[in-house]
Amino acid sequence: MLRYEIVLMIKHPTTDLAVITEKTGLSPLRHWRHGEPRVTPKGTPLPSTHESSAWICRFEYEGNKAFFPSVNSLIVELERNREFLIGLVDDGGEVYLNVNLDGRANIGD
């Protein structure tokens, strides 16, 4: 079965992560705050703290070779929060959108 995922990551030096959830209406898969101890995804402690806050949301898709419509749909959805996201970036934040494709399959899109 063909699978891919789209990951939205928002990083900011100090922002309140609850505001990102409230504004976007999306629930994060993972998040951490500036200054919190770092841990691996499985919870193993690492020897430092986070330098910025981060909020990560993942969308998983199956069975469809065309991933551009999914990306486009997410961008249209995020467009509702354009001013909020621009404000985060203007205040030192970063917004990433990453498409992870299954390298074992010919996506063709």
Side-chain angles (χ1 to χ4, degrees):
M1 177 70 58
L2 180 65
R3 295 180 185 173
Y4 64 93
E5 67 181 17
I6 302 172
V7 179
L8 170 63
M9 180 177 194
I10 300 174
K11 294 177 76 174
H12 193 275
T14 58
T15 196
D16 180 357
L17 301 174
V19 173
I20 298 171
T21 301
E22 178 186 325
K23 291 284 189 181
T24 64
L26 301 170
S27 297
L29 171 69
R30 293 189 67 205
H31 59 82
W32 56 82
R33 298 187 193 296
H34 171 264
E36 285 183 347
R38 290 179 59 228
V39 295
T40 67
K42 292 184 178 181
T44 305
L46 296 169
S48 61
T49 59
H50 290 286
E51 294 180 5
S52 65
S53 296
W55 180 99
I56 302 167
C57 189
R58 181 174 68 196
F59 307 89
E60 297 177 321
Y61 301 89
E62 269 188 36
N64 189 353
K65 288 183 91 172
F67 64 88
F68 280 121
S70 301
V71 173
N72 209 25
S73 178
L74 180 56
I75 290 171
V76 167
E77 189 70 23
L78 292 173
E79 185 71 24
R80 295 180 310 137
N81 300 297
R82 178 184 174 93
E83 295 304 317
F84 170 69
L85 295 172
I86 288 172
L88 284 176
V89 171
D90 287 347
D91 192 38
E94 301 167 76
V95 178
Y96 300 93
L97 195 61
N98 189 46
V99 179
N100 297 325
L101 303 173
D102 183 354
R104 297 170 293 180
N106 180 1
I107 298 293
D109 201 3

